[in-house]
Coordinates of all heavy atoms in Angstrom, one line a residue:
Q32 N 13.3 118.0 -158.0 CA 13.0 117.7 -156.6 C 14.3 117.5 -155.8 O 14.5 117.9 -154.7 CB 12.1 116.5 -156.4 CG 11.7 116.2 -155.0 CD 10.5 115.3 -154.9 OE1 9.3 115.8 -155.1 NE2 10.6 114.1 -154.6
A33 N 15.2 116.8 -156.4 CA 16.5 116.6 -155.8 C 17.2 117.9 -155.6 O 17.8 118.1 -154.5 CB 17.4 115.6 -156.7
A34 N 17.2 118.8 -156.6 CA 17.8 120.1 -156.4 C 17.1 120.9 -155.3 O 17.8 121.6 -154.5 CB 17.7 120.9 -157.8
F35 N 15.8 120.9 -155.3 CA 15.0 121.6 -154.3 C 15.4 121.1 -152.9 O 15.8 121.9 -152.0 CB 13.6 121.3 -154.5 CG 12.6 122.1 -153.6 CD1 12.0 123.3 -153.9 CD2 12.3 121.6 -152.3 CE1 11.2 123.9 -153.1 CE2 11.5 122.2 -151.5 CZ 10.9 123.4 -151.8
N36 N 15.4 119.8 -152.7 CA 15.8 119.2 -151.4 C 17.2 119.5 -151.0 O 17.4 119.9 -149.8 CB 15.6 117.7 -151.4 CG 14.1 117.2 -151.2 OD1 13.8 116.7 -150.2 ND2 13.3 117.4 -152.2
F37 N 18.1 119.4 -151.9 CA 19.5 119.7 -151.5 C 19.7 121.1 -151.2 O 20.4 121.5 -150.2 CB 20.4 119.3 -152.7 CG 21.9 119.4 -152.4 CD1 22.5 118.4 -151.8 CD2 22.6 120.6 -152.7 CE1 23.9 118.5 -151.5 CE2 23.9 120.7 -152.4 CZ 24.6 119.6 -151.8
A38 N 19.0 122.0 -151.9 CA 19.1 123.5 -151.6 C 18.6 123.8 -150.3 O 19.1 124.6 -149.5 CB 18.5 124.3 -152.7
V39 N 17.4 123.2 -149.9 CA 16.8 123.4 -148.6 C 17.7 122.9 -147.5 O 18.1 123.6 -146.5 CB 15.4 122.8 -148.5 CG1 14.9 122.8 -147.0 CG2 14.4 123.5 -149.4
Y40 N 18.2 121.7 -147.6 CA 19.0 121.1 -146.5 C 20.4 121.6 -146.4 O 20.9 121.7 -145.3 CB 19.0 119.6 -146.7 CG 17.7 118.9 -146.4 CD1 17.1 118.0 -147.3 CD2 17.0 119.1 -145.2 CE1 15.9 117.3 -147.0 CE2 15.8 118.5 -144.9 CZ 15.2 117.6 -145.8 OH 14.0 117.0 -145.5
K41 N 21.0 122.0 -147.5 CA 22.4 122.5 -147.4 C 22.4 124.0 -147.2 O 23.3 124.5 -146.5 CB 23.1 122.2 -148.7 CG 23.2 120.7 -148.9 CD 24.0 120.0 -147.8 CE 25.4 120.4 -147.7 NZ 26.1 119.6 -146.6
Y42 N 21.5 124.8 -147.8 CA 21.6 126.2 -147.7 C 20.7 126.8 -146.6 O 20.8 128.0 -146.2 CB 21.3 126.9 -149.0 CG 22.2 126.4 -150.1 CD1 21.7 126.0 -151.3 CD2 23.6 126.4 -149.9 CE1 22.6 125.5 -152.3 CE2 24.5 126.0 -150.9 CZ 24.0 125.5 -152.1 OH 24.8 125.1 -153.1
R43 N 19.7 126.0 -146.1 CA 18.8 126.4 -145.0 C 18.2 127.8 -145.2 O 18.7 128.7 -144.5 CB 19.6 126.3 -143.7 CG 20.0 124.9 -143.3 CD 18.8 124.0 -142.9 NE 19.1 122.6 -142.6 CZ 18.3 121.7 -142.3 NH1 17.0 122.0 -142.2 NH2 18.7 120.5 -142.0
P44 N 17.3 127.9 -146.1 CA 16.7 129.2 -146.2 C 16.1 129.7 -144.9 O 15.7 128.9 -144.1 CB 15.5 129.0 -147.2 CG 15.3 127.5 -147.2 CD 16.6 126.9 -146.9
T45 N 16.2 131.0 -144.6 CA 15.8 131.5 -143.3 C 14.3 131.4 -143.0 O 13.9 131.4 -141.9 CB 16.3 133.0 -143.2 OG1 15.7 133.7 -144.3 CG2 17.8 133.1 -143.2
R46 N 13.5 131.4 -144.1 CA 12.1 131.4 -143.8 C 11.4 130.2 -144.6 O 11.3 130.4 -145.9 CB 11.5 132.7 -144.2 CG 12.0 133.9 -143.4 CD 11.5 135.2 -143.9 NE 10.1 135.4 -143.7 CZ 9.5 135.8 -142.6 NH1 10.2 136.0 -141.5 NH2 8.2 136.0 -142.5
Y47 N 11.1 129.1 -144.0 CA 10.5 128.0 -144.6 C 9.5 127.4 -143.6 O 9.7 127.4 -142.4 CB 11.4 127.0 -145.2 CG 12.3 126.3 -144.2 CD1 11.9 125.1 -143.7 CD2 13.5 126.8 -143.9 CE1 12.8 124.4 -142.8 CE2 14.4 126.2 -143.0 CZ 14.0 125.0 -142.5 OH 14.8 124.3 -141.6
Q48 N 8.5 126.8 -144.1 CA 7.5 126.1 -143.3 C 7.2 124.7 -143.9 O 7.0 124.5 -145.1 CB 6.1 126.8 -143.3 CG 6.2 128.2 -142.6 CD 4.9 128.9 -142.6 OE1 4.0 128.6 -143.3 NE2 4.8 129.9 -141.7
F49 N 7.3 123.7 -143.1 CA 6.9 122.3 -143.5 C 5.5 122.1 -143.0 O 5.2 122.1 -141.8 CB 7.8 121.3 -142.8 CG 9.3 121.3 -143.3 CD1 10.3 120.7 -142.6 CD2 9.6 121.9 -144.5 CE1 11.6 120.7 -143.0 CE2 10.9 122.0 -145.0 CZ 11.9 121.3 -144.2
L50 N 4.6 121.9 -144.0 CA 3.2 121.8 -143.7 C 2.8 120.3 -143.6 O 3.6 119.4 -144.0 CB 2.4 122.4 -144.9 CG 2.6 123.9 -145.1 CD1 1.8 124.4 -146.2 CD2 2.2 124.7 -143.8
P51 N 1.7 120.0 -142.9 CA 1.3 118.6 -142.7 C 1.0 117.8 -143.9 O 0.6 118.4 -144.9 CB 0.1 118.7 -141.7 CG -0.4 120.1 -142.0 CD 0.7 120.9 -142.4
T52 N 1.1 116.5 -143.8 CA 0.9 115.6 -145.0 C -0.5 115.7 -145.5 O -0.7 115.4 -146.7 CB 1.2 114.2 -144.6 OG1 0.6 113.8 -143.4 CG2 2.7 114.0 -144.5
I53 N -1.5 116.1 -144.7 CA -2.9 116.2 -145.3 C -3.0 117.3 -146.3 O -4.0 117.4 -147.0 CB -3.9 116.4 -144.1 CG1 -3.6 117.6 -143.3 CG2 -4.1 115.1 -143.3 CD1 -4.7 117.9 -142.3
Y54 N -2.0 118.1 -146.4 CA -2.0 119.2 -147.4 C -1.3 118.8 -148.7 O -1.3 119.6 -149.7 CB -1.3 120.4 -146.8 CG -2.0 121.2 -145.7 CD1 -1.4 122.2 -145.1 CD2 -3.3 120.8 -145.4 CE1 -2.1 122.9 -144.1 CE2 -4.0 121.5 -144.4 CZ -3.4 122.5 -143.7 OH -4.1 123.2 -142.8
N55 N -0.8 117.6 -148.8 CA -0.3 117.0 -150.0 C -0.1 115.5 -149.8 O 1.0 115.0 -149.6 CB 1.0 117.6 -150.4 CG 1.6 117.1 -151.7 OD1 0.9 116.5 -152.5 ND2 2.9 117.4 -151.9
W56 N -1.3 114.8 -149.7 CA -1.3 113.4 -149.3 C -0.8 112.5 -150.5 O -1.5 112.5 -151.6 CB -2.7 113.0 -148.9 CG -2.7 111.6 -148.3 CD1 -3.0 110.4 -149.0 CD2 -2.3 111.3 -147.0 NE1 -2.8 109.4 -148.1 CE2 -2.4 109.8 -146.9 CE3 -2.0 112.0 -145.8 CZ2 -2.2 109.2 -145.7 CZ3 -1.7 111.3 -144.7 CH2 -1.8 109.9 -144.6
M57 N 0.3 111.8 -150.3 CA 0.8 110.9 -151.3 C 0.1 109.6 -151.3 O 0.3 108.7 -150.4 CB 2.3 110.7 -151.0 CG 3.1 112.0 -150.9 SD 3.1 113.0 -152.4 CE 4.1 112.0 -153.5
C58 N -0.8 109.4 -152.2 CA -1.7 108.3 -152.2 C -1.0 107.0 -152.4 O -1.5 105.9 -152.0 CB -2.8 108.4 -153.2 SG -4.0 109.8 -152.7
N59 N 0.2 107.0 -153.1 CA 0.9 105.8 -153.3 C 1.6 105.3 -152.0 O 1.9 104.2 -151.8 CB 2.0 106.0 -154.3 CG 3.2 106.9 -153.9 OD1 2.9 108.0 -153.5 ND2 4.4 106.4 -153.9
Q60 N 1.8 106.3 -151.1 CA 2.4 106.0 -149.8 C 1.4 105.3 -148.8 O 1.8 104.5 -148.0 CB 3.0 107.2 -149.2 CG 4.2 107.8 -149.9 CD 5.5 107.4 -149.2 OE1 5.6 106.4 -148.6 NE2 6.5 108.2 -149.4
S61 N 0.2 105.7 -148.9 CA -0.8 105.2 -148.0 C -2.2 105.5 -148.6 O -2.5 106.7 -148.8 CB -0.7 105.8 -146.6 OG -1.6 105.2 -145.7
T62 N -3.0 104.5 -148.7 CA -4.4 104.7 -149.3 C -5.2 105.4 -148.2 O -5.3 104.9 -147.1 CB -5.0 103.3 -149.6 OG1 -4.2 102.7 -150.6 CG2 -6.4 103.5 -150.2
P63 N -5.9 106.5 -148.6 CA -6.7 107.2 -147.6 C -7.9 106.3 -147.2 O -8.3 105.3 -147.8 CB -7.2 108.4 -148.4 CG -6.3 108.5 -149.6 CD -5.9 107.1 -149.9
R64 N -8.5 106.7 -146.1 CA -9.8 106.2 -145.6 C -10.9 107.0 -146.2 O -10.7 108.2 -146.5 CB -9.8 106.1 -144.1 CG -11.0 105.3 -143.5 CD -10.9 105.4 -142.0 NE -12.0 104.7 -141.3 CZ -12.0 103.4 -141.0 NH1 -10.8 102.7 -141.2 NH2 -13.0 102.8 -140.4

């Protein structure tokens, strides 16, 4: 994950999409309703 993040932020691939959190909801970050 560290390698993935660094590669995205430093090399800036030309085609990427950041999708909304409801598409990968981190339950430890916030308990759903």
Side-chain angles (χ1 to χ4, degrees):
Q32 182 159 285
F35 182 99
N36 278 253
F37 188 83
V39 169
Y40 288 130
K41 297 302 292 185
Y42 303 129
R43 294 290 178 180
T45 54
R46 298 174 68 82
Y47 64 92
Q48 292 180 344
F49 291 164
L50 298 179
T52 47
I53 56 172
Y54 289 173
N55 181 15
W56 188 265
M57 307 297 292
C58 292
N59 71 301
Q60 292 262 25
S61 185
T62 302
R64 189 180 180 92

